[in-house]
Amino acid sequence: MAMDEKKMIEKLDESTKDITVPKKLLPENIMNTINDSKKGKKVIHFESLRRSGVTKKLAGVVSAAAVLIVVAVAVYRLPAGDKSAENTMQFMDATEAAGESMVIAQTGNVSSYDEVYKEFEKHKTPQPSWFERIFYGREEKYMLTEDAVYNGALEMETQAAGTVAENMSSWNEAGESADAAAGAGYSKTNVQTVGIDEADIIKTDGQYIYYASSNLHTVTIYRVNGEETEAVKNLYVEEVGGLSEIYVDGDMLLAVGDSYRNEKYQIVLAKYDITDRKNPKLVGTFSQEGNRIETRKTGDIVYVVTEVRRNADNIKKNVPETFIPSVCDKLLEPIDIFIPDETQGTTYTVISSVDIKGDLKQIDSAAVLGFNGTFYMGNESMYLYRTRYATSESGEFAYSSGERFTEIRRIDYVKENGLIGAITEGKVPGVVKDTFAINEYQGYLRIMTTSYPGYSNNESVNNVFVLNQELDIVGSIEGLAKGERIYSARYMGDTAYFVTYRETDPLYSVDLSNPESPKIMGALKIPGFSEYLHAYGDNLLLGIGIEQIPDKDGWNTDYIKLSMFDTTNPYDVTEKNKMILNDANDSMALYEYKAVMIDPQKNLFGFVTESYGNRTNGTSNKDCYRIFTYTDSGFVELVTHEVEKGDVYGTRSVYIGDYVYIVNENGVTVYSIAER
Amino acid sequence: MDERKLVILAIAGEEDAFVKLYELYYTRLYRYAAYTLRGVHDAEDAVSEAVADAYAGISRLKNPDAFGTWIFRILSNKCKAKMREYYTSSDLDVTEVPEEAENIDMALNLSVKQMFMSLPKKERMVIGLSVFGGYDSREIGKILKMNASTVRSIRKRTLEKMAREMND
C-alpha cells in the first residue's frame, strides 16, 4: 500500500476516534448482553440456560470486585499437623487508602464441607420455571441434557487443556538467569526463580539428554559424549496420561502428564528410577485433580498447581465429591480448603507438595475457592495473580475511577518441609504483562503494571509498586511512559528494568533499593522493543525482541532483534550492540522463556526462529535453531540449524562442554562450539 | 497479554478469556459497525449479535491466530444483513447500490468523518476494515469474501478520492 494511502487511513483513524461505545458493549457487560441477545431471539437453548448461570457468575464477579483500594488481609493457618479449625490463628491488617471507603476481605479455611456447599449454592443456576419445565419436557430430561451439555463442554476443555497449560507457562513467569547452572559445564532449564527448578521437555545432566515428546508419549534418553550420541532408551510413559514435561534429578526421572481418570481431569506424576538408563523402573505415582497450571521443584519437593472447576448446578449435598477437589483420589479435608470473602466463581486453585524422595507421597495441600490466576513462585512464597475490572460502589462500571487492577494472593510455603501455609490478599492498579514483571525480593513483592485510566490504549500509564509482607503498597512510582505499555521486565537485585513500547523502545531503569521510595534512574530510547530480558553477566542485559521495518509497500514487518544493553551505570543505560535477524520474523523465545537456552557465564544462548519469507529482500523462509555468543564487537551467530516447519515448537537445545545438541522428535544434531 | 493465549483459553471455554479477548477488539468492532451502518443503534445490535455468535461458536474456531479476521467476518455478515434489510438489495458483494450520499463531490467542507460516512457501503467496509481492523488486502479479502486485488483497487481508488476531496 502506498504511503499516501496509509496516511489517509491514519487520518481516518484519528478522526473517527471520538465515538463512544455503548454501555451494553463494554467488556464488563458483554456477557449479559450476549445472554440478552440470545433471549431476544426467542429461542431458548439448553446451552443458553447454562450460560445464564455463567453470566450470573460473571455479574457476581464484577460487583464483588467493587473496591479498588489496596486492602490486604492475612489469615494465617497453622501448619498441617494441627487439623482443627478452631486453632486457626487469624490476624488481620488492613490499610485504608486515603479518602476511600474500605472493604475488609476475609480469607479463611473452612471447618466443614457444609460451608463449602453453601458457597457453591450461591452459584447455582435458578431452577427452570413451570413454563420452562413444560417447554423442555420433564425436569429430569432437562437435568440430563444439562449434564450432557456440561460434560461435552468439559471434554472440549481438556482437549485444549494440554495446549493451554503449555502456553500458560510462556507468559506466566518472570525469569532469573540460569547462572546457577554455571560451572556445571552444561545448560539448565531457563527458570523463573534461581533455585527453583521447572519441568521442561528437555533436560540434561551432562552425560545424558532427556527429551519428552508429548506426541509420542515417550521420553528418549540419549547418552552423549562429545560428537557421539546414542539413544539408549525410548521410555513409553503411560502412567501419566498425556505426557507433557519432565524433571531429572540424579537417578530420578519424574514425568508430568495430564490425564482423565476416574471421571476427573488430573495431573499425574510418575517417578522412575533410572539408575540403569536402559531399564527405568516405575517407583510411584501421584495424582491431583484439575487442569495443570504449573509444577515447581525445590530440593526433594515438587509443588503441583492445578485448577479445578466445579459446576454449582451439579453438586449434591451428601456427595462431597461433587464440590470438593481430591488429591491422590482422596478428598481434601476442610482445613485445607480456603474460601476467601471475595470468592468469585466455583473454580479452585489446588496446590500440593509432593515428596519425591520416596514414592511420591502427598505432604500438604491447599485449595483456594474462587480464585484462579497466573502462578509465580519465589523463594519464600507462591503467588497467584489475575486481572479484574474495577467498579464503582453502585455496581456501575467506572473506568475513570478504577479501570483494571491486579488481584494478588500470596500462599506461603516452607521450603524445608513442603508445608503450605498462610494466604494473604492484595491489589494493585493496572495489569501485569507477565511474571517477569512480578518479583519477590528480601521480603518485598515488586510489581510493574500498565494501567489504562482513560480506557483508551493511548492513555495507558505504567507503574512500579513495592508491597510488603501484608501485600500493602509501601512504595510506588505511577504514571510512567504515558501512552505506552510494558513489553518486558527484569529485576536485578535492587534495580528494575522494563521496556515499554509505542514507537520506540525505551528501556527504563528503576532504583528499588529503598522499597518505600522507588526512583526512576534513566530511560534509553531505541527502535524496536524487547519481549524478553535476561541478565548477561554483571553489567549487561540481553534483550530479545522485535524491530519493525517498513517494506516497500509501507507495511511494517517484524524482525527478530537482539540487543545488548550496558547497565554499568543504571542512570545511563546504553544499547551497546544490536543484531537484526533479517530472515527471522518470530520466535518462541518471545513467548516461552523455557524455549531460550541461555548461560551467560558460558557466553552462549540459543532459540528457535521462524521466518515468513520476505518479499522485499528475498530472504528464505526457513525456520532455524540459532546459537549465539557475544563479543565486544557484537553478537556472533555460531550455529544456524535448519528446522522443519512442523518441528519448530518442539526443537530445543542443551550444551554440554563444548558441544551444542539440538534436539527434537527426529533426534539429536551435535555442533562443536570449541573453536570460537 | 498475548492474544493467541487468550484465544486458546476462550476456545477451551474460559469466559474470562473471551471477555478479555473481546476487550481487545470491542472499540474497533464498534467503530467498524458504526461507520459501516452509519447508525449507533444498528451498530450496537450488530456488535452484540456478532459477539453472541462468536461466543457460541468459538469452540469451533480452529486456528487461534485467526480470531480477529473471524470475528470481523461475523460482524461484516451482520452488517451486510442489516444493510440488506434497509435496502432490500439482494447481494452486497456483487451489487453496488447507489446511495443518496454517495456523491461526495457535492459535499464541500465535509469532514473526513462525513466523507467516510458518505462512501458506498462496500467501500465503507473495505476502508473500515483497513482503518479499524488494521487488516491488509488479503485479510480483508478473506473477511468480505472478495479478491485481494479487488480489495486493493477499491481501497486505492477510495482513498485517492478522499484525499482529493480533502485537498479541494
Side-chain angles (χ1 to χ4, degrees):
Chain A
M1 186 162 52
M3 268 328 270
D4 44 357
E5 284 183 45
K6 240 187 121 183
K7 263 188 212 140
M8 192 64 213
I9 281 179
E10 276 163 19
K11 197 164 281 175
L12 281 166
D13 190 16
E14 273 311 311
S15 61
T16 54
K17 273 201 172 123
D18 54 351
I19 197 160
T20 313
V21 179
K23 222 170 214 167
K24 211 174 110 180
L25 295 179
L26 294 176
E28 51 288 353
N29 299 326
I30 197 65
M31 290 311 297
N32 282 319
T33 305
I34 287 172
N35 198 38
D36 293 346
S37 149
K38 291 287 176 211
K39 274 189 202 146
K41 285 182 181 166
K42 309 283 180 232
V43 183
I44 308 171
H45 301 290
F46 292 117
E47 217 182 276
S48 75
L49 259 191
R50 182 172 72 86
R51 242 184 233 123
S52 66
V54 167
T55 315
K56 265 195 125 40
K57 258 198 280 178
L58 277 182
V61 164
V62 171
S63 57
V67 178
L68 173 73
I69 55 155
V70 181
V71 176
V73 177
V75 178
Y76 281 85
R77 181 178 64 142
L78 289 177
D82 185 347
K83 289 281 181 188
S84 129
E86 286 72 34
N87 285 342
T88 299
M89 188 175 75
Q90 302 192 351
F91 70 86
M92 305 208 290
D93 180 5
T95 308
E96 190 168 351
E100 296 216 44
S101 66
M102 186 179 71
V103 166
I104 293 175
Q106 194 164 357
T107 307
N109 49 347
V110 299
S111 55
S112 71
Y113 288 155
D114 278 358
E115 281 181 49
V116 184
Y117 183 81
K118 281 194 191 111
E119 184 60 37
F120 267 87
E121 277 191 313
K122 294 181 196 162
H123 297 282
K124 281 191 171 184
T125 311
Q127 285 301 300
S129 67
W130 62 270
F131 171 78
E132 286 166 325
R133 267 180 242 171
I134 292 164
F135 193 84
Y136 293 122
R138 290 179 305 122
E139 192 176 353
E140 289 83 348
K141 193 178 163 197
Y142 155 74
M143 292 304 288
L144 259 179
T145 318
E146 264 284 88
D147 274 358
V149 170
Y150 184 67
N151 290 337
L154 256 185
E155 223 153 279
M156 176 194 75
E157 230 160 61
T158 21
Q159 270 180 7
T163 343
V164 173
E166 241 171 65
N167 283 292
M168 289 291 281
S169 46
S170 66
W171 41 283
N172 272 357
E173 6 233 59
E176 280 179 39
S177 72
D179 293 2
Y186 56 88
S187 53
K188 289 204 169 162
T189 305
N190 190 19
V191 295
Q192 203 177 64
T193 306
V194 170
I196 299 178
D197 198 10
E198 298 179 30
D200 197 7
I201 60 171
I202 190 165
K203 292 278 177 184
T204 183
D205 52 19
Q207 286 182 305
Y208 295 90
I209 294 170
Y210 309 82
Y211 181 81
S213 163
S214 52
N215 288 336
L216 308 174
H217 291 276
T218 55
V219 177
T220 307
I221 305 179
Y222 296 95
R223 180 170 42 223
V224 295
N225 185 10
E227 284 168 18
E228 289 162 34
T229 63
E230 179 201 357
V232 294
K233 180 71 187 176
N234 261 319
L235 174 65
Y236 184 75
V237 183
E238 50 189 343
E239 289 80 8
V240 299
L243 172 68
S244 59
E245 294 177 316
I246 50 171
Y247 288 99
V248 174
D249 187 352
D251 287 332
M252 182 218 65
L253 173 84
L254 193 66
V256 181
D258 309 298
S259 99
Y260 183 74
R261 278 198 339 193
N262 302 338
E263 298 178 3
K264 284 190 191 89
Y265 296 97
Q266 300 194 318
I267 181 170
V268 183
L269 310 185
K271 175 181 166 178
Y272 294 88
D273 180 341
I274 51 168
T275 310
D276 178 359
R277 298 295 193 273
K278 285 183 183 157
N279 189 20
K281 287 192 188 68
L282 182 69
V283 179
T285 60
F286 167 89
S287 66
Q288 174 171 313
E289 185 182 353
N291 292 325
R292 174 168 51 106
I293 301 297
E294 291 289 337
T295 63
R296 290 287 186 276
K297 175 180 174 296
T298 68
D300 291 327
I301 298 164
V302 163
Y303 295 85
V304 176
V305 187
T306 60
E307 200 171 281
V308 176
R309 292 157 179 238
R310 287 301 171 82
N311 185 342
D313 296 339
N314 290 346
I315 61 170
K316 295 187 182 67
K317 194 167 186 188
N318 297 323
V319 190
E321 287 80 1
T322 57
F323 56 93
I324 303 290
S326 60
V327 173
C328 293
D329 295 321
K330 212 173 139 276
L331 292 182
L332 287 178
E333 295 186 33
I335 187 102
D336 293 327
I337 298 168
F338 293 80
I339 303 182
D341 211 32
E342 287 191 44
T343 291
Q344 293 148 0
T346 55
T347 300
Y348 289 96
T349 298
V350 182
I351 303 172
S352 294
S353 46
V354 183
D355 180 2
I356 57 167
K357 262 202 319 279
D359 54 357
L360 302 187
K361 288 255 180 326
Q362 169 192 10
I363 300 170
D364 198 3
S365 292
V368 187
L369 181 62
F371 196 94
N372 51 318
T374 306
F375 181 78
Y376 159 67
M377 185 164 175
N379 272 302
E380 282 154 37
S381 307
M382 302 182 246
Y383 298 85
L384 288 164
Y385 65 87
R386 62 170 176 187
T387 308
R388 305 308 307 177
Y389 294 98
T391 55
S392 74
E393 264 162 288
S394 64
E396 287 287 299
F397 188 77
Y399 266 124
S400 51
S401 72
E403 48 102 62
R404 278 166 286 186
F405 64 95
T406 299
E407 268 184 341
I408 310 149
R409 305 234 162 152
R410 192 185 70 227
I411 300 119
D412 293 338
Y413 71 100
V414 186
K415 214 170 181 175
E416 290 69 32
N417 58 17
L419 294 179
I420 301 167
I423 295 183
T424 312
E425 302 175 80
K427 296 171 185 173
V428 294
V431 177
V432 177
K433 196 247 170 192
D434 58 31
T435 44
F436 290 98
I438 181 165
N439 175 270
E440 180 189 77
Y441 184 71
Q442 295 182 349
Y444 289 94
L445 184 71
R446 294 97 61 97
I447 305 177
M448 302 184 207
T449 67
T450 302
S451 48
Y452 302 89
Y455 101 77
S456 140
N457 280 349
N458 295 326
E459 291 167 44
S460 59
V461 293
N462 300 283
N463 321 298
V464 181
F465 297 102
V466 181
L467 281 65
N468 66 9
Q469 288 284 327
E470 279 72 48
L471 295 185
D472 300 327
I473 296 175
V474 292
S476 68
I477 313 177
E478 295 180 57
L480 297 168
K482 196 162 186 262
E484 314 208 347
R485 60 199 169 92
I486 292 174
Y487 264 65
S488 56
R490 199 69 166 194
Y491 296 87
M492 288 161 76
D494 280 335
T495 313
Y497 295 91
F498 66 94
V499 169
T500 66
Y501 182 64
R502 189 167 55 191
E503 278 157 4
T504 52
D505 168 4
L507 171 74
Y508 286 88
S509 38
V510 183
D511 177 4
L512 296 172
S513 56
N514 178 355
E516 297 186 5
S517 158
K519 279 187 207 70
I520 283 285
M521 302 160 95
L524 165 72
K525 294 220 175 204
I526 47 167
F529 54 87
S530 298
E531 287 262 16
Y532 180 76
L533 295 172
H534 197 112
Y536 209 81
D538 286 341
N539 296 317
L540 294 173
L541 185 65
L542 169 69
I544 304 173
I546 293 280
E547 180 150 344
Q548 294 184 325
I549 300 170
D551 66 11
K552 60 180 190 299
D553 292 331
W555 287 118
N556 283 333
T557 305
D558 290 355
Y559 294 95
I560 297 295
K561 175 196 181 189
L562 306 176
S563 297
M564 192 60 86
F565 301 106
D566 185 341
T567 57
T568 312
N569 179 359
Y571 291 93
D572 183 22
V573 176
T574 56
E575 187 184 44
K576 219 175 158 189
N577 296 95
K578 73 169 180 177
M579 182 182 203
I580 292 168
L581 306 175
N582 67 359
D583 56 349
N585 307 102
D586 203 354
S587 172
M588 280 283 280
L590 309 182
Y591 317 109
E592 163 67 280
Y593 65 89
K594 283 190 274 189
V596 182
M597 185 279 285
I598 183 162
D599 185 345
Q601 287 209 335
K602 182 78 180 172
N603 191 5
L604 204 64
F605 64 95
F607 53 87
V608 74
T609 63
E610 289 179 81
S611 172
Y612 304 145
N614 191 309
R615 291 132 294 184
T616 318
N617 60 16
T619 50
S620 75
N621 65 343
K622 285 176 184 159
D623 296 341
C624 295
Y625 200 97
R626 298 158 191 272
I627 305 282
F628 298 90
T629 190
Y630 176 75
T631 67
D632 279 345
S633 50
F635 294 98
V636 180
E637 190 168 337
L638 296 174
V639 174
T640 312
H641 173 77
E642 192 180 334
V643 176
E644 280 181 42
K645 284 275 171 206
D647 291 329
V648 167
Y649 299 108
T651 303
R652 297 291 183 84
S653 79
V654 296
Y655 86 83
I656 301 173
D658 286 332
Y659 295 92
V660 167
Y661 302 86
I662 297 172
V663 190
N664 59 28
E665 277 170 11
N666 303 326
V668 185
T669 313
V670 191
Y671 288 90
S672 167
I673 48 166
E675 294 120 68
R676 66 200 166 92
Chain B
M1 189 181 300
D2 189 337
E3 184 184 323
R4 189 188 158 87
K5 265 130 216 169
L6 286 178
V7 179
I8 291 168
L9 287 169
I11 291 173
E14 268 276 13
E15 296 89 0
D16 267 5
F18 183 84
V19 173
K20 278 183 208 158
L21 198 55
Y22 171 73
E23 198 196 340
L24 297 176
Y25 278 93
Y26 79 102
T27 42
R28 290 185 278 160
L29 292 170
Y30 180 72
R31 286 167 72 199
Y32 172 59
Y35 283 96
T36 299
L37 295 171
R38 300 187 296 199
V40 287
H41 296 296
D42 291 336
E44 186 173 330
D45 288 347
V47 172
S48 54
E49 284 170 33
V51 173
D53 284 6
Y55 181 72
I58 191 156
S59 64
R60 295 190 298 273
L61 179 65
K62 293 283 183 303
N63 177 3
D65 292 321
F67 178 81
T69 48
W70 178 70
I71 196 164
F72 266 102
R73 177 191 279 174
I74 296 173
L75 180 58
S76 297
N77 288 337
K78 296 285 174 202
C79 291
K80 285 181 192 176
K82 291 222 178 292
M83 290 190 284
R84 236 174 292 183
E85 277 171 32
Y86 312 144
Y87 302 106
T88 59
S89 142
S90 55
D91 195 343
L92 179 84
D93 280 340
V94 288
T95 328
E96 261 188 65
V97 182
E99 295 164 32
E100 60 289 350
E102 191 195 352
N103 189 359
I104 58 176
D105 293 352
M106 286 171 55
L108 277 167
N109 298 325
L110 276 185
S111 72
V112 182
K113 204 196 304 187
Q114 287 165 315
M115 281 200 307
F116 193 3
M117 298 267 245
S118 53
L119 292 170
K121 49 189 157 190
K122 197 198 281 178
E123 274 77 341
R124 283 204 305 276
M125 293 180 96
V126 168
I127 302 302
L129 287 168
S130 308
V131 174
F132 307 122
Y135 294 116
D136 64 25
S137 54
R138 192 177 42 83
E139 290 161 324
I140 295 171
K142 271 192 193 155
I143 292 167
L144 297 178
K145 299 200 195 86
M146 285 163 75
N147 218 315
S149 60
T150 315
V151 172
R152 273 195 297 276
S153 70
I154 289 178
R155 189 179 58 197
K156 186 166 186 291
R157 178 162 45 82
T158 311
L159 291 173
E160 280 172 359
K161 194 171 161 194
M162 292 179 85
R164 268 203 312 277
E165 295 299 329
M166 271 173 52
N167 294 332
D168 278 353

